[in-house]
Amino acid sequence: MKSGHLRNTVLVVVIIAAVLPALLIIFYMAQVGGIMLKNEQRERFEMFNNRFSNEVSSYISQNEKLIETFLEIRAAGYVDDENYAKLVEVFLAKNKSVIGISFLDNNGRENSYYGMRPKISYNDILPEILTKTIDGKKIYIGSLNKNPARGIISLTMSFPDSYRGLNRAVVVQFNLEVLAQMIEPSISKEDLTLIFTSNGFLIYSSTGGLSTELDDAYDLQISQLVNLAKNDNYGFVDIRDYSGVLSKLPTSDWMVFTGKLNSELNLPIMVYLESYPLLLAGVIAVAFLVLLILSLYLTGIILRPIKDMTKAVRIVEQGDTDLPVLPAPDNEIGILSKSFARMLDTIKIQFDEMRQERKDLEELNQSLELRVGSRTKELRTALNELIKKERLAAIGQMASIVSHEIKNPLAVIKNAVYLIKARLGDNAEPKILKNISVIDQEIQQANGIIEEILGYARSREQILTVIDLTLYIKEIMASYPMPGNIKVVTEYSPLPLPVRIDTEEIKQAVRNIIGNAVEVMPDGGQLIIKTFLGENYTCVLSIRDSGPGIPKEIRENIFAPFFTTKARGTGLGLAVVKKVAGRNNVQIELVSEEGKGTKISMIFKTHRDEGK
């Protein structure tokens, strides 16, 4: 194929591909008239339904105002009871839309009735009148009734009546002939208009007017419309022989349908679809098949070489230097393929240069990040140490003041208690001796709190000593005043565990941990002390109690200064442990299970004699 042949081939294919859609467009345009007519009919139906809804709302609103005004005149006392019956008769004579008025007491019993005889019964809606009007004090739009003998159809409504301070009701029957006269001028006799209730009660039809007789001419259509309304399928609908708009009136459960016979709507597209469905389906299938074949042909001529070039681009993006051989037919695609291959060679060279530059830049960034991270860490550590020293200095100053201002008076009180106790001797009353003992214990408690604050705030130069951890813990346990209800279980390592520590600081930390364990077992329990060689040749001291355990929500805070859950205490016991551990390069591990106890492990670095 020579240069230019591909262009001609593509041109022919495009022309062929355009002919069939053009035919379909012509067929579609032939149906535009019918579609526009359908839309015009729908808009006209919707406009009538909206107008009818407004007229019905206006009719009901006028009747409500009429009855409310009548009741206000009676409640104002302008007419006495003797002339009230005459007033009602005059009201009925002047208002032809009202054909009957019943006055009910607060129990729903009828006291009096005025109007047409025989009166229309409202017993079927009496429960709603009691609930909504007498109890709820609201207007209720009730049922419709047909009276073939008099040729009327009536609407029953109930109004709240508070005459003489009692909750009563007035039931009024309105003749819908007035409503029919209001809407008939706007109804087109060329359309079918049906006004009915949600239970299928026909009120009005454009062919028969107000439905005062038991008319079943549109029972099938109304039944279909009611089913559509139950599923909220309002708007344009299709029913038996008719198409139109179904709407629901906002002031009641009435509905209106306006439409035409399907044959009168003159919708060519619908008629065509019903008459020639197989022909239309065949045309669509043939068009789809032709377009599919043309697409495959175009793919073979144009898209396959382009896909090969795209594949080559992806290979270059992945960094592969071995490019595939691109097809080079004797046409425009071949020329494009050769130019594309030369361009790929140039891009590959530039891509290699960019890759090397990116690699150098990433190495520089990593170096800078490491340096910045290291300096940031050093600054953060220095800042934390400075803040910690400032806090400790403040606490130390406060502790010195507390020690001076409180310990001296406590010593005087303690001496006074001692003299009182000596003066009383052994013959003193037991109650007095008990109170003196309580005072002595509280003094010891206060001294203990002061010592904890001083111990946490005091910073002294460390005296590091190499000692066997097991022997050291045995000495501490031998001097600790253990309560009699605590069972101590010891498991000491048979191997020597040399550590280099400040013995006074570690002793205070161990005693604080044991003290906390004893306090959480006031009713007795088991305390397990272990020393052993841990991972990476570390020396481990483990202290486990059988207390209630530490709740998860406070475990992160127990080593914070002044945090405590006890009724009495400074919250510095475990804070001292953390401080001492940091100064002696000891790692603290906490494991606690609610209901089973807590284990605190102190992990020491094993001391190794450099001379050995």
Side-chain angles (χ1 to χ4, degrees):
M1 183 179 292
K2 300 299 182 181
S3 178
H5 290 183
L6 177 62
R7 180 187 60 189
N8 298 332
T9 303
V10 173
L11 181 61
V12 172
V13 171
V14 171
I15 292 174
I16 295 174
V19 169
L20 186 60
L23 294 176
L24 294 176
I25 291 173
I26 293 172
F27 174 76
Y28 170 76
M29 293 299 295
Q31 313 305 318
V32 169
I35 296 174
M36 292 178 62
L37 178 61
K38 179 179 179 180
N39 291 334
E40 290 176 2
Q41 294 283 11
R42 176 185 300 179
E43 291 176 0
R44 189 170 64 84
F45 295 157
E46 290 176 348
M47 181 179 65
F48 170 77
N49 287 2
N50 292 333
R51 186 190 309 156
F52 173 75
S53 176
N54 294 333
E55 290 176 349
V56 172
S57 298
S58 175
Y59 171 77
I60 293 177
S61 178
Q62 290 176 5
N63 288 333
E64 289 178 355
K65 290 180 180 178
L66 178 67
I67 300 303
E68 287 175 350
T69 303
F70 173 76
L71 294 177
E72 288 175 0
I73 293 174
R74 185 180 71 152
Y78 297 137
V79 180
D80 55 20
D81 293 342
E82 295 180 0
N83 295 320
Y84 189 71
K86 295 180 180 180
L87 175 65
V88 176
E89 296 294 342
V90 172
F91 175 77
L92 292 174
K94 290 185 176 182
N95 297 279
K96 299 301 182 181
S97 62
V98 181
I99 59 176
I101 301 178
S102 298
F103 295 89
L104 310 184
D105 61 12
N106 58 342
N107 294 319
R109 290 190 295 270
E110 185 177 276
N111 290 332
S112 57
Y113 171 76
Y114 303 90
M116 181 185 69
R117 298 285 183 177
K119 69 177 182 178
I120 300 173
S121 174
Y122 51 85
N123 291 333
D124 57 327
I125 62 170
L126 188 57
E128 286 78 7
I129 295 174
L130 286 169
T131 303
K132 297 182 179 179
T133 302
I134 296 178
D135 295 336
K137 298 181 180 180
K138 294 182 180 179
I139 298 174
Y140 170 62
I141 300 176
S143 60
L144 294 163
N145 294 279
K146 293 184 180 181
N147 192 333
R150 290 182 173 269
I152 63 172
I153 180 171
S154 64
L155 168 65
T156 303
M157 297 177 62
S158 61
F159 299 81
D161 181 15
S162 58
Y163 183 59
R164 294 183 177 177
L166 298 176
N167 292 334
R168 305 180 183 183
V170 175
V171 180
V172 184
Q173 276 113 16
F174 296 96
N175 188 351
L176 292 187
E177 183 65 31
V178 177
L179 176 61
Q181 294 172 1
M182 291 173 60
I183 65 175
E184 277 183 353
S186 60
I187 292 179
S188 173
K189 297 301 181 181
E190 298 177 357
D191 302 330
L192 172 65
T193 301
L194 299 176
I195 303 170
F196 55 95
T197 63
S198 59
N199 59 3
F201 187 97
L202 180 62
I203 302 172
Y204 181 89
S205 67
S206 57
T207 57
L210 202 63
S211 180
T212 59
E213 302 290 340
L214 298 177
D215 190 356
D216 59 354
Y218 299 105
D219 283 355
L220 181 59
Q221 287 79 7
I222 291 177
S223 175
Q224 293 178 339
L225 292 170
V226 169
N227 289 332
L228 291 171
K230 287 180 180 179
N231 297 320
D232 291 332
N233 291 328
Y234 296 104
F236 197 84
V237 296
D238 293 318
I239 58 175
R240 175 75 177 273
D241 300 330
Y242 290 90
S243 296
V245 175
L246 173 65
S247 304
K248 185 179 185 300
L249 303 186
T251 56
S252 65
D253 66 340
W254 295 7
M255 284 170 282
V256 58
F257 171 79
T258 305
K260 276 183 174 292
L261 286 168
N262 290 329
S263 59
E264 296 177 359
L265 279 177
N266 191 22
L267 302 179
I269 187 65
M270 295 176 63
V271 175
Y272 188 86
L273 290 175
E274 292 177 358
S275 303
Y276 307 103
L278 295 178
L279 177 60
L280 183 60
V283 170
I284 294 174
V286 171
F288 179 77
L289 182 60
V290 171
L291 289 176
L292 179 61
I293 295 173
L294 292 176
S295 299
L296 294 175
Y297 181 68
L298 287 174
T299 301
I301 296 177
I302 300 175
L303 296 184
R304 186 174 295 110
I306 293 176
K307 287 182 179 179
D308 293 336
M309 287 186 280
T310 303
K311 184 178 179 181
V313 171
R314 291 176 179 173
I315 292 174
V316 173
E317 289 178 349
Q318 295 173 359
D320 195 345
T321 58
D322 296 330
L323 295 178
V325 178
L326 297 177
D330 189 13
N331 53 31
E332 287 86 347
I333 293 295
I335 297 173
L336 176 62
S337 178
K338 293 176 182 179
S339 301
F340 189 73
R342 289 193 296 270
M343 183 186 68
L344 286 181
D345 292 335
T346 304
I347 291 176
K348 186 173 72 67
I349 295 172
Q350 295 177 352
F351 193 76
D352 291 339
E353 293 175 354
M354 291 176 59
R355 186 186 309 166
Q356 184 61 39
E357 292 175 357
R358 182 184 300 173
K359 182 178 180 182
D360 296 340
L361 183 60
E362 288 177 354
E363 291 177 354
L364 179 59
N365 287 338
Q366 289 178 358
S367 176
L368 289 175
E369 287 177 358
L370 291 175
R371 293 172 62 186
V372 171
S374 177
R375 293 295 177 86
T376 303
K377 184 177 181 181
E378 292 174 1
L379 288 174
R380 186 180 292 111
T381 302
L383 179 61
N384 291 337
E385 287 296 326
L386 180 60
I387 294 173
K388 185 176 180 181
K389 288 180 180 179
E390 289 180 354
R391 289 180 177 175
L392 288 176
I395 295 174
Q397 186 178 2
M398 180 192 70
S400 299
I401 296 172
V402 170
S403 174
H404 181 269
E405 298 296 334
I406 297 179
K407 287 195 70 176
N408 291 339
L410 287 177
V412 174
I413 295 172
K414 186 172 183 179
N415 291 336
V417 170
Y418 176 78
L419 292 175
I420 292 172
K421 187 175 180 180
R423 183 69 60 88
L424 292 175
D426 297 334
N427 296 326
E429 295 182 8
K431 185 176 181 180
I432 295 175
L433 293 176
K434 181 179 179 181
N435 290 331
I436 290 174
S437 177
V438 170
I439 294 172
D440 197 23
Q441 291 175 2
E442 293 299 323
I443 292 172
Q444 293 179 3
Q445 177 72 16
N447 280 325
I449 292 173
I450 294 171
E451 290 298 329
E452 281 189 2
I453 296 175
L454 289 173
Y456 181 75
R458 187 185 299 119
S459 293
R460 64 176 181 80
E461 187 175 351
Q462 284 186 300
I463 302 174
L464 299 177
T465 305
V466 178
I467 191 171
D468 182 75
L469 180 61
T470 301
L471 297 177
Y472 176 63
I473 298 302
K474 287 181 178 179
E475 291 177 2
I476 295 175
M477 293 303 299
S479 62
Y480 189 87
M482 190 67 64
N485 61 347
I486 302 298
K487 179 182 178 182
V488 180
V489 178
T490 59
E491 298 180 15
Y492 295 126
S493 171
L495 301 174
L497 302 175
V499 294
R500 188 169 182 263
I501 58 174
D502 186 313
T503 56
E504 289 300 321
E505 288 183 350
I506 296 298
K507 178 189 290 185
Q508 182 63 39
V510 172
R511 291 176 68 88
N512 287 357
I513 295 174
I514 294 174
N516 276 5
V518 171
E519 288 180 359
V520 298
M521 298 184 292
D523 298 328
Q526 188 178 64
L527 185 68
I528 302 175
I529 310 293
K530 294 182 180 181
T531 61
F532 56 91
L533 187 64
E535 296 181 355
N536 299 322
Y537 299 100
T538 56
C539 301
V540 182
L541 167 63
S542 170
I543 302 174
R544 178 192 291 271
D545 63 63
S546 60
I550 302 173
K552 291 182 179 180
E553 57 270 16
I554 67 171
R555 291 178 189 173
E556 295 181 357
N557 301 322
I558 63 171
F559 290 101
F562 305 108
F563 177 82
T564 181
T565 58
K566 305 172 187 175
R568 302 180 63 179
T570 62
L572 292 174
L574 292 181
V576 170
V577 173
K578 183 178 180 181
K579 175 185 173 183
V580 169
R583 284 169 58 86
N584 288 269
N585 199 17
V586 177
Q587 183 181 352
I588 301 294
E589 287 188 356
L590 171 70
V591 178
S592 183
E593 186 174 356
E594 293 187 45
K596 293 187 178 181
T598 302
K599 182 180 74 172
I600 296 180
S601 300
M602 300 181 71
I603 303 174
F604 301 81
K605 289 186 177 181
T606 302
H607 176 72
R608 295 177 180 175
D609 192 346
E610 296 179 357
K612 295 184 180 179

